[in-house]
Amino acid sequence: MPKIIACICAMVLWLSQLEGYGQCTVSLGNEVIICSGDSVALGANLTINGNTGPVDYSWSHSLGNSANPVVHPTTNTTYTLTVSGGGCPGPVTGNIVVQVKPSPIASFDYSPASPCAGIPIEFNSNVTGCTGCVYSWNFGDPSSGSANTSAQPNPSHTFNSIGGGSVNYTVTLTVTSANGCTDVYSNVINVKQSPNAVLTEDVNFTQCLGLSSFFAYVTDNSSPATITNYRIEWGDNTPPYNSSVPPTSLEHIYEGIDIWTLDYQVTGPNGCTSSSQYTVTNISNPAIGAATDGNTLQCGPVEVCFDLSNYQNNFSQIQYEINFGDGSPIATYSQSNLPDPICHEYSVSSCPGAFTFSITAVSNCPTPTVAQITPIMIFTGPTADFSAPPYACVNSAVSFTNLTIPGYNQGCNASTTYLWDFGDPASGANNTSTLANPTHTYSAPGTYTVTLTASNGGNPQLACSPTTITKTICIEGPPTPHFVLSSNEGCVPMTLDMSNTSTTTNSCNAIGNWDIGYTELPCLPNGGAYTYINGTTSTSDFAQLLLESEGTYSIMYHLQNSCGIYEYKEYVTVNTVPTVTVSTPASGICAGQSNSPTAIVNPCSLPVTYQWTFAGGTPSSSTDATAPSVSYPNAGDYNVTLAVTNACGTVSNTATIHVMDVPSINVSVMDNDLSICQGQQTTLTVSGGNTYTWSPTTYLSNIAANGSSATATPASDITYTVTGSNGACSNTASITLTVDPLPTLSADDTFTGCSGEDIQLSVTASGGSAPNTQYNWSPSDGLSQTNIPNPVFSGASSTTYLVSVTDQNGCENTLSVPVTVRPLPIVETGPDLTLCNQPVATELTGYSPTTGGTGTWSGPSVTTNGTFTPSGTGQVTLTYCFESSTTGCS
């Protein structure tokens, strides 16, 4: 048989596992839950640096290289996808779990196995793997209406189809397990059609002539036309008619007076049968008679009895219907339980007409037998009734409302007369009244009996008996409300006892209730909430309240009766603990900084005391209403608590103050040298914060953007202060630079000499930090020494020397020392002479072609002016010395 399976899938979401290299990741989505037998498409998405690129796919479980394979696992399965390409440095993998929930397995069988139409078929479900299953049947038989479906595990169904063939019905069972998984099972039921058995008779199987026998002539009118067998069970113990030939005007004689049941059964060509039953009647038309024992014109309520006759010989299956004519239900009796006589109480009037009693003998005969008695005339006296308030106030007019139901006298006259007795003899003639709706005033409290008598109006001889009704009324005076409270003041929540001490001596039905009002106090109102407790209510004489809001309650007791509403009131004041809210700076404070926390306190109409606690702060506590200035030495979060106390208790509130680190600012100088020489520059560096501000900025340059460094070139001693900030807090640090003076250099003389002469140089150093121990002449050419103050110059040409002198503080100054070398004059004396050793004076010639001046000779036998007189033989060397008149050199 065919089986259809459908599953309902549910999705459960959580993150899949991811693996990857760098920015390459693969996500397979969320874990999937399916029902067994179901399938699901897996989806892949490779992301490379946030972009999707082409990749190569490789799935586990032999799923191939599709991006979206469809899987239908039977157990929980983890699928792995490996992707490569797309710019990834290596393969990337991702996992997804497909969880498989078990599905139920639906099936059913039925009996009988080869059913005929018109016979109930029993279905039996055979379901496995199902917990808490829900069943849904569809029998595929829409013509059966609401019977076409069922939610029972094992239902039954009847298929109705007329004919001689068969009809297929597809029956479907859907079962849904508690986990949401569903299975559907369908089966085609082949139902054989059944014939429709119809038998007709000439007089519709009924004869009411009282004959000793009944000749029945029956003819088949069944469908379909093809029927294989016809069977008639006559119901009179005679042999049945059983034939393949349909009966046509077939005669059958029923003997005797009786009623029989004929069963007609036909069999279709497929073996299915159908039957119909018919009642065969051969009786006499039933007889019935009725009479009364007495007068049928009476005042009601009255019982009237009817004698029955002529029914004793009626057939046993006769039914009797009795209608008493007064609108009461029709009574039905059988031949065996028909009462004789039959009695009935008439309680309503027949006016303006009459009642008719009838009894009908009912049979299969077309005309029933009826016996009647008429007229039955019933007259009634009025039914007295009235309404009045159960309670009324003394000296007030009480209204009585007449509710009497009028009767009818024997002339069918509905007029009524009334007589009232108010039960108040003290009122004299006013104690009675004949009005329909009178009023009466009672002058004294008490309980009074009121009587109303109602009679038929008109001729007293035609009247039925009058009726009387009595009722009581309580006359009362005003009550006096009062109560006692357990207290008129307290703290929320407050339990209040309320004892009713009202006076109700002259009250018939004083109804009391408590009424609670409320007025807010200037403190967190919440609507005047209250609750009756310990089983008491607003109508209890002793009531207990739980007052749940601070404020003023008005306690009222209302006492009400027919005289009005009376009230007694007292007030109860309910206080509560104060309210307090502590606030600290939202941005926090810096360590070492002082701050005064604030608080909003509502004392709630009562005196209060204060207790501040500053954990970790200085001071640590205070009892003042206003918090003092508090400081915290170290960074951290500290609790600030204010406890406020009044007569109802103590309430505290805590806020946290955030204390932030103060940066430790450090200023340093290059090489850690706080002393510099005049005119020298140094670099200052700051650390410990994020941004810095210098003061003063005199002699500073190259200040960094955030102020973390600067170049200082001070002319004199100076102190710099740096303010550093970490974004929230700031701190300062200072550094003092000492400026040492430079030594003062001076030369003793101007240093000038002739070429070839030694020149004594000398420099004097003063000022600075003596001693000035370091000298350095530059360049060193032509000097006897370079590290003394007075070296000797032996140079051949003019030179400018730079001498530097460094004092003990390392301060250095320099002096430029020029040395001038004057050139020697050029001297001409002519060629060497050869003279005879004769005392002949020879004038020697000496001069300078470049400069003016004078010259002198020196040597043997020569005068200064150049006269040489030889005085012997041999070689004589004479010297001519010429002194330049411009340079002074010779």
Side-chain angles (χ1 to χ4, degrees):
M1 295 182 181
K3 180 178 181 181
I4 303 172
I5 299 177
C7 292
I8 300 173
C9 299
M11 303 292 290
V12 177
L13 307 179
W14 61 74
L15 292 177
S16 301
Q17 298 176 351
L18 298 176
E19 300 177 9
Y21 294 92
Q23 295 298 319
C24 297
T25 59
V26 59
S27 172
L28 296 180
N30 303 300
E31 177 170 300
V32 179
I33 298 180
I34 65 172
C35 297
S36 61
D38 201 1
S39 61
V40 64
L42 304 180
N45 180 29
L46 177 67
T47 302
I48 303 174
N49 295 325
N51 297 312
T52 301
V55 294
D56 295 326
Y57 299 90
S58 177
W59 289 90
S60 63
H61 297 80
S62 302
L63 297 182
N65 57 1
S66 170
N68 300 96
V70 177
V71 298
H72 39 82
T74 58
T75 60
N76 295 347
T77 305
T78 300
Y79 295 92
T80 300
L81 170 63
T82 302
V83 296
S84 58
C88 289
V92 185
T93 63
N95 297 328
I96 188 170
V97 176
V98 178
Q99 183 180 359
V100 182
K101 297 189 297 183
S103 294
I105 300 176
S107 179
F108 64 83
D109 55 35
Y110 59 92
S111 64
S114 182
C116 292
I119 299 175
I121 300 177
E122 302 295 330
F123 291 90
N124 181 49
S125 61
N126 300 315
V127 179
T128 59
C130 195
T131 301
C133 263
V134 175
Y135 296 81
S136 177
W137 293 83
N138 187 308
F139 300 110
D141 183 17
S143 63
S144 63
S146 61
N148 187 45
T149 59
S150 176
Q152 299 296 319
N154 302 299
S156 65
H157 185 75
T158 300
F159 297 94
N160 292 303
S161 181
I162 297 175
S166 63
V167 180
N168 288 333
Y169 295 91
T170 300
V171 179
T172 302
L173 170 61
T174 302
V175 291
T176 303
S177 185
N179 63 8
C181 292
T182 296
D183 192 21
V184 180
Y185 178 81
S186 294
N187 198 357
V188 177
I189 311 298
N190 183 263
V191 178
K192 295 183 290 185
Q193 293 178 308
S194 295
N196 185 25
V198 179
L199 190 66
T200 61
E201 199 274 330
D202 288 352
V203 293
N204 200 24
F205 298 102
T206 301
Q207 176 178 272
C208 295
L209 302 176
L211 301 178
S212 61
S213 61
F214 172 48
F215 290 81
Y217 296 91
V218 296
T219 300
D220 173 69
N221 278 316
S222 301
S223 61
T226 303
I227 294 178
T228 61
N229 189 72
Y230 304 87
R231 181 180 179 87
I232 303 175
E233 293 284 353
W234 302 103
D236 60 354
N237 293 322
T238 60
Y241 174 82
N242 191 27
S243 174
S244 61
V245 179
T248 303
S249 296
L250 175 65
E251 179 186 73
H252 182 76
I253 302 173
Y254 285 92
E255 299 290 346
I257 304 298
D258 207 344
I259 298 176
W260 300 271
T261 299
L262 181 151
D263 184 81
Y264 184 48
Q265 186 180 83
V266 294
T267 302
N270 56 10
C272 291
T273 63
S274 179
S275 63
S276 298
Q277 287 74 40
Y278 301 90
T279 300
V280 180
T281 303
N282 183 41
I283 61 174
S284 298
N285 201 43
I288 189 65
T292 61
D293 292 337
N295 188 7
T296 57
L297 279 69
Q298 299 190 51
C299 284
V302 62
E303 183 180 72
V304 179
C305 292
F306 303 92
D307 294 320
L308 304 181
S309 61
N310 301 326
Y311 66 89
Q312 290 81 359
N313 295 325
N314 288 341
F315 190 71
S316 61
Q317 295 183 2
I318 299 300
Q319 298 289 316
Y320 299 92
E321 295 177 352
I322 299 175
N323 187 341
F324 295 102
D326 61 351
S328 59
I330 294 176
T332 301
Y333 298 95
S334 66
Q335 179 72 18
S336 61
N337 67 0
L338 181 65
D340 184 20
I342 184 166
C343 299
H344 179 70
E345 182 177 276
Y346 287 90
S347 58
V348 296
S349 174
S350 62
C351 289
F355 296 137
T356 296
F357 169 86
S358 67
I359 180 169
T360 302
V362 181
S363 68
N364 289 339
C365 295
T367 304
T369 303
V370 180
Q372 292 182 336
I373 297 175
T374 192
I376 300 172
M377 297 190 69
I378 304 298
F379 313 103
T380 58
T383 303
D385 193 12
F386 68 90
S387 67
Y391 318 104
C393 189
V394 66
N395 295 321
S396 64
V398 181
S399 297
F400 297 90
T401 302
N402 198 327
L403 302 176
T404 298
I405 300 174
Y408 292 90
N409 65 13
Q410 295 180 36
C412 279
N413 188 336
S415 64
T416 307
T417 61
Y418 305 99
L419 177 60
W420 294 85
D421 186 328
F422 301 115
D424 185 17
S427 63
N430 293 327
N431 188 43
T432 60
S433 176
T434 58
L435 297 176
N437 298 288
T439 61
H440 184 72
T441 300
Y442 294 89
S443 60
T447 300
Y448 297 86
T449 300
V450 181
T451 302
L452 171 61
T453 300
S455 304
N456 285 132
N459 189 344
Q461 292 181 344
L462 300 177
C464 294
S465 300
T467 59
T468 299
I469 187 171
T470 61
K471 295 184 180 182
T472 60
I473 182 171
C474 185
I475 304 301
E476 58 190 353
T480 303
H482 192 268
F483 59 81
V484 176
L485 299 179
S486 58
S487 177
N488 290 90
E489 187 174 6
C491 294
V492 67
M494 176 183 176
T495 299
L496 181 67
D497 295 342
M498 306 182 299
S499 301
N500 178 19
T501 57
S502 302
T503 301
T504 58
T505 304
N506 292 325
S507 183
C508 303
N509 185 39
I511 299 174
N513 71 284
W514 300 94
D515 187 9
I516 312 301
Y518 175 74
T519 302
E520 294 176 354
L521 286 180
C523 185
L524 293 181
N526 57 4
Y530 64 90
T531 304
Y532 287 93
I533 60 175
N534 296 326
T536 64
T537 68
S538 63
T539 59
S540 300
D541 278 343
F542 173 78
Q544 281 188 315
L545 283 181
L546 180 63
L547 304 180
E548 300 171 85
S549 300
E550 62 283 346
T552 299
Y553 289 84
S554 59
I555 310 298
M556 295 166 283
Y557 190 70
H558 297 293
L559 199 56
Q560 178 179 1
N561 67 3
S562 60
C563 295
I565 300 175
Y566 303 88
E567 177 184 288
Y568 178 74
K569 180 189 295 185
E570 288 193 20
Y571 293 93
V572 175
T573 300
V574 181
N575 292 303
T576 187
V577 293
T579 62
V580 55
T581 303
V582 177
S583 299
T584 56
S587 59
I589 64 173
C590 299
Q593 179 181 347
S594 296
N595 174 264
S596 295
T598 60
I600 299 175
V601 176
N602 192 328
C604 299
S605 301
L606 294 174
V608 295
T609 60
Y610 300 86
Q611 179 62 59
W612 291 88
T613 302
F614 311 105
T618 301
S620 61
S621 64
S622 174
T623 57
D624 295 335
T626 302
S629 183
V630 184
S631 63
Y632 298 86
N634 301 310
D637 290 330
Y638 299 89
N639 287 336
V640 176
T641 301
L642 174 59
V644 184
T645 302
N646 67 7
C648 289
T650 299
V651 171
S652 63
N653 181 250
T654 298
T656 300
I657 186 168
H658 180 60
V659 180
M660 296 169 288
D661 277 322
V662 174
S664 178
I665 305 302
N666 180 54
V667 184
S668 61
V669 65
M670 185 174 60
D671 299 330
N672 294 321
D673 190 356
L674 297 176
S675 296
I676 65 173
C677 299
Q678 188 175 26
Q680 184 181 353
Q681 68 179 22
T682 187
T683 300
L684 302 178
T685 304
V686 194
S687 61
N690 299 326
T691 59
Y692 309 92
T693 302
W694 293 82
S695 179
T697 57
T698 307
Y699 308 123
L700 293 181
S701 61
N702 301 325
I703 301 176
N706 67 342
S708 59
S709 64
T711 299
T713 312
S716 58
D717 294 350
I718 191 169
T719 297
Y720 291 105
T721 299
V722 182
T723 300
S725 172
N726 59 12
C729 298
S730 60
N731 201 357
T732 60
S734 297
I735 188 169
T736 299
L737 297 181
T738 300
V739 179
D740 294 325
L742 301 181
T744 301
L745 304 183
S746 62
D748 288 345
D749 195 0
T750 57
F751 303 109
T752 302
C754 294
S755 178
E757 291 181 344
D758 288 336
I759 301 173
Q760 179 69 53
L761 305 182
S762 177
V763 174
T764 301
S766 63
S769 297
N772 300 312
T773 57
Q774 297 183 19
Y775 293 82
N776 184 39
W777 294 79
S778 176
S780 60
D781 295 344
L783 296 180
S784 61
Q785 287 181 276
T786 59
N787 57 355
I788 59 176
N790 50 355
V792 175
F793 172 77
S794 301
S797 60
S798 297
T799 302
T800 298
Y801 289 95
L802 189 67
V803 59
S804 64
V805 178
T806 303
D807 63 15
Q808 66 178 6
N809 288 330
C811 292
E812 177 183 5
N813 203 354
T814 59
L815 180 66
S816 178
V817 179
V819 178
T820 302
V821 178
R822 295 191 295 272
L824 297 178
I826 299 173
V827 178
E828 295 290 343
T829 58
D832 291 340
L833 299 176
T834 301
L835 301 176
C836 293
N837 188 12
Q838 295 176 4
V840 176
T842 301
E843 294 295 331
L844 300 177
T845 301
Y847 65 96
S848 171
T850 60
T851 181
T854 59
T856 60
W857 290 90
S858 64
S861 302
V862 68
T863 63
T864 58
N865 58 2
T867 299
F868 177 71
T869 300
S871 60
T873 60
Q875 184 175 349
V876 178
T877 299
L878 301 178
T879 300
Y880 179 70
C881 180
F882 183 83
E883 180 178 353
S884 173
S885 61
T886 57
T887 65
C889 292
S890 59

